[in-house]
């Protein structure tokens, strides 16, 4: 996300502390699929849904329903 957001602000989007997000950036922790979904919803300003296909490919597409949570920023 290139919105000049701080680690603290991005952490807030994915319900993590600044330190928790720092660990993800430095690959000490993994970004979960749910975290990725939240970042996509923030970046694209629309709900997204996902599904796995054979060969573990992740497709992202618009969901037909509204987001279940308010974006924190």
């Amino acid at each position: 996300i290139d919105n000049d957001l701080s680690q603290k602000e991005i952490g807030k989007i994915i319900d993590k502390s600044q330190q928790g997000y720092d660990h993800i950036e430095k690959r000490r922790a993994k970004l979960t699929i749910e975290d990725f979904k939240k970042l996509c919803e923030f970046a694209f300003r629309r709900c997204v849904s996902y599904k796995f296909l054979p060969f573990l490919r992740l497709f992202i597409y618009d969901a037909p329903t509204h987001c279940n949570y308010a974006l924190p920023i």
Side-chain angles (χ1 to χ4, degrees), residues 7-19:
Q7 287 182 337
K8 184 177 181 178
E9 291 167 323
I10 294 175
K12 188 174 181 182
I13 294 167
I14 60 174
D15 299 318
K16 305 234 184 292
S17 66
Q18 178 274 324
Q19 184 178 19

Side-chain angles (χ1 to χ4, degrees), residues 16-71:
K16 305 234 184 292
S17 66
Q18 178 274 324
Q19 184 178 19
Y21 182 70
D22 181 64
H23 286 207
I24 291 169
E25 275 193 348
K26 294 179 178 173
R27 298 183 179 187
R28 293 182 193 145
K30 292 185 178 185
L31 185 71
T32 67
I33 295 296
E34 286 302 314
D35 294 340
F36 181 68
K37 180 181 172 187
K38 289 175 187 177
L39 288 173
C40 289
E41 288 175 349
F42 175 80
F44 299 121
R45 301 282 194 249
R46 63 172 75 170
C47 294
V48 293
S49 187
Y50 58 89
K51 64 179 179 179
F52 282 105
L53 295 178
F55 313 112
L56 299 178
R57 293 189 184 231
L58 178 67
F59 282 169
I60 299 175
Y61 56 92
D62 291 340
T65 59
H66 297 291
C67 295
N68 293 327
Y69 64 91
L71 297 173

